[in-house]
Every structure is written in structure tokens, then in C-alpha cells.
Amino acid sequence: MLSANARITQRHHWDSVYWEWVLNLRGLLMFSKDASNTYTAAVYLLTNPVVAWFVVAALILTLLLLILAFRCRAWGVLHPEYAALDRWTPTFRALGFLIVLYVANLLPYVAVSRSCFIYHYLPALMYGEVAAASLLDVLAGTRFRARVFGLATAVLIVSFVYYAPWIYALPLTNDAHARRRWLPRWD
């Protein structure tokens, strides 16, 4: 299977590369059909932009926090002036593990020369989503957790409903399709 996949060198119109998946720059048109004179139904595989960009921001923030946490330690021993960070050690370990899983799922596609598509990113995205939710949980704290997750849920539902016609092939006008194309390669 590896040798057969390595021989596939022909490019595809909808292919993309790993860094485009992370930034949600390119999707994959899986189905398109004219529903009537003015309506078109399409299934366009694209990660939810709110989720994708929040995951990127959360992963960057997580990396910065992990660097800060390691910086406060000397040879594995926490400096006394940073003793308050000790209660976050299990959280830092879990977030570090999730970052490793994210990278481990994305890294193989860095060296791939054949056509790849956004669905190859979905396992890595799942680990990124878990890391982002974990970080949000830690940052929100117990006092604001309900409000923060309520707001996050509302934003995600609005974004999901907005992109549902692309997910479920609901007929849209050309103008409605154009409004959903936020980036140039979302064609």
C-alpha cells in the first residue's frame, strides 16, 4: 500500500497541503448539483471556521503556556517563587500530551508528495479540539465556566447553522454560496 500510494503523483483540482488544513484555507467539493434555475446544492467538506481558527489560537497559546511552565522549572524542580504553578502540572501534562498527538497525526503529511485532502486532517483536528476545550476549561475557571461554555456553544451553533447548507446539500442561491466563501480558495 505504501509503494502504491507513493507512485500516485498526479495532482487533483481539490487537493491541498497540511498547512492549508490547519488554517482552513482549502476545502473539498464532494458533490454539486443544480437544484433549479437559481439554486445549487453542494456538499463542501470544510472544517467549521470558528472551530479551526479557535483551535489554532488555542494551540499557540498552549505552546506558549507550556514553554512558560518549563521555563519556571530548573531540572524538573519548580522554583519556589513559582510554586502556584504546581497545581497546574497535571493540566500542563495533559495539554502537552494532546499537542504531541496533534503533531503526530499531522506530521506524516509534511513529507507526502501525493495529493492530499482536508479529510486527512480530521484526526489531528480532533486532538486539537480536545486541547482547545481543555485550555478553555482551565482559563475559564469554575466561576465563569458556565458562561464561557454557554457563549462558545452559542457561537458554534450559529456557525454550524450558517454552514449547514454546505454540509447537507441544501439548495442555495449563487449569492448565498458566495457569502459563505470567506477565503479565495473556498471555491
Side-chain angles (χ1 to χ4, degrees), residues 54-64 99 102 121 127-128 131-132 135:
F54 180 72
V55 165
V56 169
L59 290 175
I60 291 169
L61 182 59
T62 299
L63 284 174
L64 293 175
I99 295 274
Y102 177 85
Y121 176 59
Y127 291 114
L135 180 67

Side-chain angles (χ1 to χ4, degrees), residues 29-33 35 39-46 157-173 175-181:
L29 182 66
M30 302 183 89
F31 171 81
S32 180
K33 180 181 179 184
Y39 287 90
T40 304
V43 175
Y44 190 69
L45 180 61
L46 182 76
I157 288 172
V158 167
S159 181
F160 172 79
V161 168
Y162 187 71
Y163 284 101
W166 278 0
I167 298 166
Y168 299 110
L170 302 175
L172 290 174
T173 64
D175 290 338
H177 281 292
R179 281 193 303 274
R180 283 166 177 76
R181 289 185 188 102

Side-chain angles (χ1 to χ4, degrees), residues 9-28:
T9 57
Q10 185 178 3
R11 303 311 296 178
H12 190 277
H13 176 71
W14 292 101
D15 72 352
S16 52
V17 291
Y18 70 95
W19 56 269
E20 289 179 313
W21 307 333
V22 174
L23 299 172
N24 203 27
L25 299 179
R26 181 76 167 152
L28 172 63

Side-chain angles (χ1 to χ4, degrees), residues 84-187:
L85 283 176
D86 206 28
R87 69 185 178 117
W88 299 108
T89 299
T91 302
F92 289 145
R93 285 185 182 144
L95 288 172
F97 180 69
L98 290 167
I99 295 274
V100 167
L101 291 173
Y102 177 85
V103 170
N105 277 278
L106 189 59
L107 198 57
Y109 296 102
V110 173
V112 171
S113 60
R114 62 162 285 186
S115 291
C116 292
F117 304 96
I118 193 166
Y119 54 75
H120 291 109
Y121 176 59
L122 296 180
L125 179 63
M126 179 192 63
Y127 291 114
E129 290 169 346
V130 174
S134 299
L135 180 67
L136 189 63
D137 185 46
V138 168
L139 295 179
T142 55
R143 183 174 176 196
F144 298 107
R145 183 173 290 143
R147 290 184 190 135
V148 167
F149 279 94
L151 177 64
T153 301
V155 169
L156 291 174
I157 288 172
V158 167
S159 181
F160 172 79
V161 168
Y162 187 71
Y163 284 101
W166 278 0
I167 298 166
Y168 299 110
L170 302 175
L172 290 174
T173 64
N174 289 336
D175 290 338
H177 281 292
R179 281 193 303 274
R180 283 166 177 76
R181 289 185 188 102
W182 291 355
L183 299 174
R185 286 190 37 115
W186 289 7
D187 55 358

Side-chain angles (χ1 to χ4, degrees), residues 65-96:
L65 289 173
L66 290 173
I67 290 168
L68 177 68
F70 283 122
R71 175 78 173 95
C72 294
R73 293 183 180 271
W75 300 103
V77 178
L78 194 64
H79 290 293
E81 62 267 23
Y82 301 114
L85 283 176
D86 206 28
R87 69 185 178 117
W88 299 108
T89 299
T91 302
F92 289 145
R93 285 185 182 144
L95 288 172

